[in-house]
Amino acid sequence: MSSRSGSKREYETSDQSTGRSASPPVPESSKIEAGGLIFYHMDLYGSKERFDIFPEELSGQGERSLGDTRESALSSEKFPHSQEAGYDLEKEVAELAKMYGLDEDREKELELLGGHPEVAESRWPPARTEKARSQRSVYNAPKSSSSVKDQSQSTNLRGLPDEVSQDEDESKARAEDEAKSPIRSGEGLSSSGISDEWNSQAASEEEESGDVFCSTCKMPIRAFDKLFGEHKDHEVTKLPSAMESEKEEIHKNMRKLEEQIAQMENFASHLEEIFITVEENFGRQEENFEVHYNDAVQVLAQKYEEQLEALGEEKRQKLEVLYGQLVSCGEHLDTCKELTDTTQELYLENNKANFMKAAITMVDRLEEFLKKEVDLELSTVPNFEERVIDFSEVEQLMNSINIIPAPCAPVINPQAPNAATGTSLRVCWSLFSDDTVECYQLCYKPVNNERHSDEQAEHTLKVKETYCTISNLLPNTQYEFWVSALNASGISPPSERTVYVTAPSPPTIKSKKIRSCENAALVCWESGDINPVDSYTVELSKLTDEDNGDIITESIVGIPNCEVLIHLRPTQSYHICVRALNLGGSSERSDPVLIHTTGTYFCLNEDTAHPLLAILDDGFTVACDELENPECDLPVYDNSFTRCIGILGSLIPFPGKHYWEVEVEEDTEYRIGVAFENTPRHGYLGANNSSWCMRHIITPSRHKYEFLHSGMTPDIRITLPPRRIGILLDYENCRLSFFNADIAQHLYTFNSHFQHYVHPCFALETPGILRIHTGIAVPPWTALS
């Protein structure tokens, strides 16, 4: 059996198509149509009758053999472009094969087929199994050896066997075996059965050999279909790539499907919540209706009782009036009867004198009785008043059944940590009911500890949410808050009042009172608020690289007072800030101050300065003008010197060594040293046991230097007057040393046990200037003293 494909046209055997006498018609049983193709029996290809089927083979045959004719027919149909001028078929095939990775298989096939691409094209369908080949040999067994030879030749040209490269001997041997087969063509299966077998095998092989995917037809195909078949102009991709693309598309769709599932599940959950909400709303409405109904019934019962009581009261009043009138009428009748009876008895009197006496009295009595008016009108009517029951309250209750009730009172939450700044507060509250609320009314006022706290102005805000931030408040101040809920039915009762407090104001560091040494610093500040705060936090920023601004931050928390002693590292620079804390939160940072731990820093205590002693703008230079009497009448502070024109520096409360220098003038008399806090302000420095000082005085013969303590001084002569005096205080070794800093000369050392921390002290005995230098590292030459 063989097939003929191409343009799917049917070849007819009429005189008009061939131009010659018609050959015997081809029997209809020899034609097999399957899948749009026309199949003919194998016997027709070995006889002259095939020219009636393929009339175009007659034109230009000349002396060509039957095999050449068949080959030309195939090539003319399969490769119509090869007849065009300049068309290179092999080049196109090579490019397409290289594009789809089939160049190696193509080269092998061309090598086996002797360089005939049309033969390679005719290999359709691809290789079959031996079982299929044997079946085809049995079905297509020829009647003669010549027909078998022609059949095998034509079959090879059409590519029906498994291996096109089988040699002639193998073909002959197969033909002989087929000739000996007991089943002949036409004696075995019918042509329709052969066609079905062919189609099923072709379909199965096509499925097995699909290695590319046609994007146009959306189906896997073989690469040769793209090269020569109906998919030649279609867009194709490699099968693995197409599979990955489809997987990705399926994955995308699955994700979309999962999203839809999630949306539907969420919607279903929402519907369930709506169902529950409907039930809850129904329950509330039913309860509301029952409450209003009971209220209406209660009002009606109350109205009934009131009307019934009023009706009974009216009845009682009517009966009392009628009864009084009835009693009055009875009394009047009794009086009339008694007068009648008396008058009748008078008529029976025979004695004229007695009759006349009694008659006169009786006449007077009758006249007096008859003068009285008899009230014969009813004092009351028997009918009762028409009473109209007022049902307006009942109607109002009935009309309010569908009206939501007024909400319950909210509850203000306690103040949350860090919910306040120095000028604002964030207030939160909750509503522990299902009442409908349109908005909230928040009221507040500052708390006044005085009696008339109600006189403080109240502020009111309306908000939608259950929180509100109030601004423009005073720092570190308590405020009282309460809130009410509102809806269309009215306003709720106010909540319990709750007190909130704003955060403190930033503290102010007293930079002039900061004292430091190489390993510690004493920082003082003052609060910016009137009300006390809970604690303070000091933040340290060590400047590790001033050029780059690298900062390492540390914090000291829970400081109760406005002063703290901080341990630091030597030869460093620090920025120090302070925050104040209360229940409302933390204040903003204070303005930072810069502290160096290169030496001892202290400041001058102005409260101790003599009135004649002035401190210049730099804060470390003291001066005295012309003076005659140090004990002047200028105003003084309680802690200031009154006799010695001196001043104390701030306390040095750090253990260890401390060094500073004083720059003096040669013609100035002065006293410099240290003193306790309680040194007498009315005496001279060095004249008591609470101060140690170096004194310079000028005598007519020389400069005299004294090292005074309790008024005592050793006999020491200094030939070179120092211009810059270094003072070394060593708490641990109980020493106070003086040096000529210009020449690194040791002058004198006090060996004394300092029971308390001391203050630097300075005094002028003649007009002049002392310049104090702090923050100096202890010079190494001081250790040689």
Side-chain angles (χ1 to χ4, degrees), residues 3 415 498 524:
S3 66
Q415 183 172 3
T498 304
C524 303

Side-chain angles (χ1 to χ4, degrees), residues 389-405:
I389 300 177
D390 185 11
F391 290 100
S392 60
E393 186 176 356
V394 178
E395 291 178 356
Q396 184 178 359
L397 288 174
M398 297 302 295
N399 293 332
S400 64
I401 290 179
N402 294 325
I403 299 177
I404 56 176

Side-chain angles (χ1 to χ4, degrees), residues 468-534:
C468 181
T469 300
I470 299 95
S471 304
N472 300 322
L473 304 178
L474 298 177
N476 198 30
T477 304
Q478 292 181 340
Y479 287 86
E480 194 175 38
F481 291 89
W482 63 97
V483 65
S484 301
L486 292 86
N487 61 13
S489 298
I491 184 172
S492 72
S495 65
E496 295 290 335
R497 301 196 176 194
T498 304
V499 175
Y500 278 50
V501 60
T502 54
S505 299
T508 302
I509 298 178
K510 300 177 181 180
S511 57
K512 292 184 178 181
K513 293 188 177 182
I514 292 178
R515 288 153 280 175
S516 65
C517 63
E518 293 184 350
N519 53 18
L522 182 64
V523 183
C524 303
W525 60 87
E526 60 183 7
S527 175
D529 303 298
I530 299 176
N531 298 325
V533 299
D534 296 340

Side-chain angles (χ1 to χ4, degrees), residues 4 76 81 199 259 283 286 418 443 463 581 661 745 774:
R4 180 72 172 175
S76 64
H81 298 290
N199 292 336
E259 292 177 358
E286 183 180 15
N418 301 319
C443 302
V463 293
L581 289 86
E661 294 179 352
Q745 179 187 12
T774 63

Side-chain angles (χ1 to χ4, degrees), residues 31 70 102 122 161 234 282 375 406 500 533 574 610 652 704:
K31 299 181 181 180
R70 192 171 300 153
L102 304 173
S122 65
H234 294 176
F282 171 77
D375 185 10
Y500 278 50
V533 299
Y574 294 87
H610 189 278
I652 302 178
K704 185 178 180 180

Side-chain angles (χ1 to χ4, degrees), residues 669-670 695-699 702-706 765:
E669 296 182 357
Y670 54 83
R695 180 187 182 193
H696 172 241
I697 57 176
I698 302 174
T699 64
R702 62 184 176 90
H703 291 273
K704 185 178 180 180
Y705 293 91
E706 297 177 344
E765 296 186 352

